[in-house]
Amino acid sequence: MNSRSLKKFNVKYGPYALVCGASEGLGAAYAEALAKRGLHLVLVARRKDLLENRAKELKEKYPVDVICLPLDLGDYETAKRRIGALEVPIGLLVYNAAYCPIGLFEETSEQQLARLVAVNITGPLLLTRLVSEAMIQNRRGGIVLMSSLAGGQGSPRLASYAASKAFNAILAEGLWKELKSRGIDVIASCAGAILTPGYKQAQHARAPGTLQAAEVAEKTLHMLGKGPIAVPGGVNKAARFLMSRIVPRKSAIAIMSNNTGALS
Ligand SMILES: NC(=O)c1ccc[n+]([C@@H]2O[C@H](COP(=O)([O-])OP(=O)(O)OC[C@H]3O[C@@H](n4cnc5c(N)ncnc54)[C@H](OP(=O)(O)O)[C@@H]3O)[C@@H](O)[C@H]2O)c1
C-alpha cells in the first residue's frame, strides 16, 4: 500500500480496530495486517497469555497501541459490557472467532449447538449492532465478518457451522448495501482452507487452494470497500463459482460430504 492509500485506510477505519478471536490463526494475522496499516488494536480472545504475547510482539514491531480484552465471546452480555466500557473509538470490527463442532448432528449436544449460535451468530450480529452505532454517527467505519466456502451449501458433519457461516455472509451482504449510505463498509470473507491451528487440528491433509492466514487477511482487507464478499485465492474463487453456479445443488452437497468425511 502506498502512503496515500494507507492514510485513506486510517481515516476511514481508524483509529482502533476491534479484532475478535485474535490470539492465534487468522485473527492474529488480521491484527498484524492492521498494525502494519497503522491502526491501533483491541484484541479479544479467551487465552490471556497468548493475547498478551501477541500484543507485545505487535508493539515491538509497529508504532501502535494494543489493548487486550481476554473474554469469552460466547457470553455476549460480558463482551458488551467490556467492549462498551472501552474509551477508545472503534473504526473497524473484525469478527473472526468461531466455534466449529465437527460430527454427526445427532452426536452434537444441545450445549454445543447453543455455543455455536452464541459465538458464530449472536456475537457477530450484536457486536456489529453495538459498534456500528458510533460508526453511523461518525459516518465512517468498516465491518469484516468471517464466513467460509462451507457456508455456500449444506455441509454434512459441519451442518450447523456451515449454516452459521451462511448467516454471516447473508448478513454482510444486506448490511453492505444498507450501511454504505452511512459511510460504513461491510464485507464477508468466504475463505476456503486456511493453515491455522484450528484447521490443522481438524484436517490432516491439505485441501487444494489452502492459504496462509496472512494471505487471507491481506486479501480480505484489500477487498474491504469494494464489494460485499471477498473470496481469497484463485482456486477458492473457482470452487465457489462451480459450487454455486454450475454444479446442481444436490451434487454440491455430495461434494462437501466427501470433503467433510475426513475431518475429525
Ligand atoms: N481455518 C480454516 O480453514 C477456515 C476456513 C474458512 C473459514 N474460516 C473462518 O476463519 C475464522 C478463523 O478461523 P481459524 O481457523 O483461525 O480459527 P482458530 O484457529 O480456531 O482460531 C480462532 C480464534 O478465535 C478465538 N476464539 C474462539 N472462540 C472464542 C470465544 N468463544 N471467545 C473469544 N475468542 C474465541 C481463539 O482464541 P482463544 O481460544 O484464545 O479464545 C482464536 O484466537 C473462523 O471464523 C472460521 O470460521 C476458517
Side-chain angles (χ1 to χ4, degrees), residues 172-188:
E173 285 184 342
L175 294 183
W176 169 76
K177 181 75 178 157
E178 203 179 306
L179 292 180
K180 206 180 174 56
S181 63
R182 305 283 191 270
I184 301 165
D185 296 327
V186 184
I187 199 163

Side-chain angles (χ1 to χ4, degrees), residues 34-41 55 58-59 62-66:
L34 292 166
K36 210 189 281 177
R37 286 164 169 76
L39 259 61
H40 303 302
L41 298 165
L58 290 171
K59 282 197 276 195
Y62 305 98
V64 295
D65 180 30
V66 186

Side-chain angles (χ1 to χ4, degrees), residues 14 19 21 51-52 74 83 86 101 104 109 125 127 153 163 165 189 193 195 198 221 229-230 232 243:
V19 184
L51 272 188
E52 285 174 352
I83 292 167
L86 287 169
L104 295 177
S109 68
L125 180 65
L127 281 180
Q153 62 294 300
K165 292 290 140 179
S189 180
L195 273 181
L221 293 175
I229 300 282
M243 295 285 267

Side-chain angles (χ1 to χ4, degrees), residues 21 23 26 46-47 72-73 96 98 161 165 192 194 196 198-199:
S23 59
L26 182 59
R46 289 162 301 180
R47 285 169 291 172
D72 184 351
L73 289 157
N96 167 78
Y161 167 81
K165 292 290 140 179
I194 315 162
T196 63
Y199 178 79

Side-chain angles (χ1 to χ4, degrees), residues 53-135:
N53 290 344
R54 266 282 91 201
K56 188 167 171 280
E57 282 165 22
L58 290 171
K59 282 197 276 195
E60 279 168 9
K61 233 168 142 183
Y62 305 98
V64 295
D65 180 30
V66 186
I67 299 169
C68 295
L69 272 191
L71 58 85
D72 184 351
L73 289 157
D75 171 4
Y76 177 69
E77 285 310 315
T78 303
K80 179 181 177 181
R81 185 169 43 74
R82 303 269 314 275
I83 292 167
L86 287 169
E87 286 178 355
V88 297
I90 303 294
L92 180 70
L93 166 67
V94 177
Y95 196 97
N96 167 78
Y99 174 56
C100 180
I102 296 166
L104 295 177
F105 188 67
E106 70 207 41
E107 289 165 1
T108 313
S109 68
E110 268 188 28
Q111 285 87 340
Q112 286 177 300
L113 294 174
R115 180 153 193 81
L116 176 133
V117 172
V119 179
N120 301 5
I121 296 180
T122 307
L125 180 65
L126 297 190
L127 281 180
T128 296
R129 178 72 180 75
L130 183 72
V131 300
S132 63
E133 277 184 21
M135 292 179 188

